[in-house]
Amino acid sequence: MDIINTIVGLGAAVMMPIIFFIVGLVFRLGIGKSFKAGMTVGVGFVGVSMVINLLLDNLGPASKAMVERLGMHLTVVDVGWPTASTIGWGTPIMVAAVVGFLVINAVMVLLKLTKTVDVDIFNYWIFLQVGATVYAVTNNFWFSTVFVWVVFAIVLKVADLAAPYIQKEYHLKGISFPHLAGLLWSPLAIGVNWAIDRIPGLKKIDFNAEKIQKRFGAYGEPVVLGFILGLIIGFLAGYSPDKAITLAINVAAAMVLLPKMIDVLLEGLITVRDAAEIQLKKWFPNREFFIGMDTALLIGEPSVLASGLLLIPVAIVLALILPGNKMLPFADLASLTFLLALVTPFVRRNMFKMLITGTLSIIVILYVGSAIAPFGTQSAMTSNIKLPSDFTGIANMTGAVSGWLGWVAVKAGELFNMVF
């Protein structure tokens, strides 16, 4: 466990260069080119992380200011994905689950049950947090472990099915996204897309970054759009004009810089992917493979970023008005963009449909988070996470536990307790 924790503690920016260097060597890219590709991926992740942190560091206080301004006093707190990931990596089932993930992926690839080779090891925490919740319900090591193994295998298959749509919409090749928290909302996006396309009037509404830019010229550019959205959030947070302008400029900077940093990351990724494609065709003729990656690659899309920013005030208002809600949107408010990364391909970057899907997702998250918060608290205690004393439970908005899968996991655990 200490070895795995040490590796994970290095972070994605260190893990990914090592992983891609090894993958490059396996696929005979050569030491020099493998090292360069791995370092380019690492530099890209550092750049992406810096820009995301710039966004989160500025949006986080603004989001909290909005919550305080509205005087919201809810008893289940959104602790954010960093705390949630710590809970996942600290769960007693961690070692068995992670080893199982690696074995399952290898076996499924060899048996032609999946095309995805998941190198996004850092985000295993999303699966592990689900397992930690099941463990909190059942206190049964093997049921919790097998449950997340099954979820992991299903996600690999779903990633395969989603890959063609994602690759087409984002102009990517040979990449899939076995990202549990993002894929949870893809079926909802498909349903929303189907429903709206059959409603006269609504089906004609189509906003995306390109159309906004074409319609409004310079005023539709990501830098201007980011500035405007930043100003709106600053106003809702009750910021002074100078503070609101500072926030707006930082949001605008993120809108411009994030796609450029992702391009750097993709440069190294494409080098390894091309080498892997050549070798895999030699070793496994007539087979197709995908490299499983983090959805951080996708949030640089202006439609995703803009829609994610608009969801911040939506989430706060919903938490305030939904009857029976106990969950306080907090630490993950600035990360709501990640909810939309795997929604986008199924609504063709239509921001209207993205906002509808995002709003419905948040409603589910708030109610599920409210309902299963005691098990989130128990899983945190098992992982030795200290919790604030003035809250009755914890949740997080951008993981999988507060989504519909968290409710399924808890109910499965309760059924297990009844039977056994």
Side-chain angles (χ1 to χ4, degrees):
M1 182 179 291
D2 289 340
I3 294 174
I4 294 177
N5 281 329
T6 299
I7 295 172
V8 171
L10 295 174
V14 178
M15 286 176 62
M16 286 303 173
I18 296 172
I19 290 171
F20 276 90
F21 174 70
I22 294 171
V23 171
L25 292 179
V26 169
F27 293 115
R28 302 179 182 178
L29 186 59
I31 295 176
K33 290 183 178 179
S34 296
F35 181 77
K36 180 182 176 182
M39 287 302 298
T40 303
V41 169
V43 169
F45 261 105
V46 169
V48 169
S49 297
M50 288 173 64
V51 178
I52 290 176
N53 286 335
L54 171 69
L55 195 62
L56 299 185
D57 289 346
N58 282 275
L59 288 177
S63 301
K64 294 173 184 176
M66 278 189 269
V67 170
E68 293 171 359
R69 194 180 186 200
L70 290 171
M72 299 172 70
H73 300 290
L74 302 170
T75 57
V76 175
V77 64
D78 161 32
V79 295
W81 70 264
T83 300
S85 67
T86 305
I87 292 171
W89 288 112
T91 179
I93 72 167
M94 186 268 286
V95 174
V98 169
V99 172
F101 296 156
L102 298 172
V103 172
I104 289 167
N105 198 173
V107 170
M108 289 182 67
V109 167
L110 290 174
L111 295 180
K112 301 182 181 180
L113 297 175
T114 185
K115 300 176 183 178
T116 295
V117 180
D118 187 4
V119 301
D120 186 24
I121 295 173
F122 183 78
N123 279 316
Y124 279 1
W125 73 263
I126 303 172
F127 297 94
L128 293 171
Q129 190 197 11
V130 173
T133 303
V134 177
Y135 186 80
V137 177
T138 64
N139 201 35
N140 186 287
F141 181 94
W142 285 112
F143 179 78
S144 306
T145 303
V146 171
F147 186 90
V148 290
W149 283 348
V150 172
V151 171
F152 181 77
I154 293 172
V155 166
L156 290 178
K157 292 295 296 182
V158 175
D160 289 348
L161 296 172
Y165 300 94
I166 298 168
Q167 292 171 8
K168 178 182 178 181
E169 200 63 44
Y170 285 99
H171 307 294
L172 296 171
K173 179 185 174 185
I175 299 172
S176 67
F177 295 88
H179 193 272
L180 176 57
L183 286 174
L184 281 184
W185 308 111
S186 296
L188 180 58
I190 294 170
V192 167
N193 187 69
W194 181 89
I196 290 179
D197 282 350
R198 282 156 180 78
I199 300 175
L202 289 184
K203 67 180 181 180
K204 295 181 179 180
I205 301 175
D206 186 9
F207 297 111
N208 63 43
E210 287 80 4
K211 290 185 178 181
I212 291 174
Q213 184 176 337
K214 184 177 180 181
R215 174 68 177 81
F216 296 100
Y219 296 104
E221 292 280 353
V223 63
V224 178
L225 186 61
F227 182 83
I228 294 171
L229 290 174
L231 274 182
I232 292 172
I233 292 172
F235 171 75
L236 293 175
Y239 279 3
S240 60
D242 59 328
K243 198 172 180 180
I245 291 173
T246 300
L247 172 65
I249 291 174
N250 281 308
V251 172
M255 293 281 284
V256 174
L257 294 176
L258 191 54
K260 297 183 184 302
M261 293 300 99
I262 290 173
D263 285 342
V264 174
L265 193 157
L266 285 173
E267 180 184 340
L269 175 61
I270 289 169
T271 301
V272 175
R273 185 205 65 195
D274 290 345
E277 187 175 27
I278 292 170
Q279 288 301 320
L280 287 170
K281 284 183 177 179
K282 291 180 180 178
W283 297 339
F284 304 99
N286 303 317
R287 285 197 63 186
E288 183 181 25
F289 293 91
F290 303 140
I291 296 177
M293 291 295 294
D294 185 355
T295 52
L297 284 179
L298 306 179
I299 65 168
E301 157 64 39
S303 296
V304 177
L305 269 176
S307 300
L309 293 174
L310 291 171
L311 281 181
I312 294 175
V314 169
I316 294 173
V317 171
L318 286 173
L320 192 64
I321 66 174
L322 286 177
N325 173 58
K326 300 176 183 176
M327 183 173 170
L328 174 68
F330 197 63
D332 262 349
L333 275 172
S335 302
L336 292 179
T337 302
F338 286 91
L339 292 180
L340 299 174
L342 297 179
V343 162
T344 308
F346 300 101
V347 297
R348 298 182 297 278
R349 289 185 290 174
N350 185 329
M351 290 174 60
F352 173 69
K353 293 178 180 178
M354 290 164 68
L355 286 171
I356 296 296
T357 307
T359 299
L360 294 174
S361 302
I362 290 170
I363 292 172
V364 173
I365 289 168
L366 292 174
Y367 278 127
V368 172
S370 298
I372 69 172
F375 301 111
T377 303
Q378 181 60 44
S379 64
M381 293 172 64
T382 303
S383 298
N384 297 315
I385 304 297
K386 187 176 180 181
L387 302 176
S389 58
D390 52 342
F391 292 103
T392 61
I394 66 166
N396 75 292
M397 299 194 70
T398 59
V401 168
S402 294
W404 58 264
L405 179 62
W407 185 86
V408 171
V410 168
K411 294 304 175 184
E414 290 176 344
L415 179 61
F416 176 86
N417 289 341
M418 290 174 59
V419 175
F420 299 97

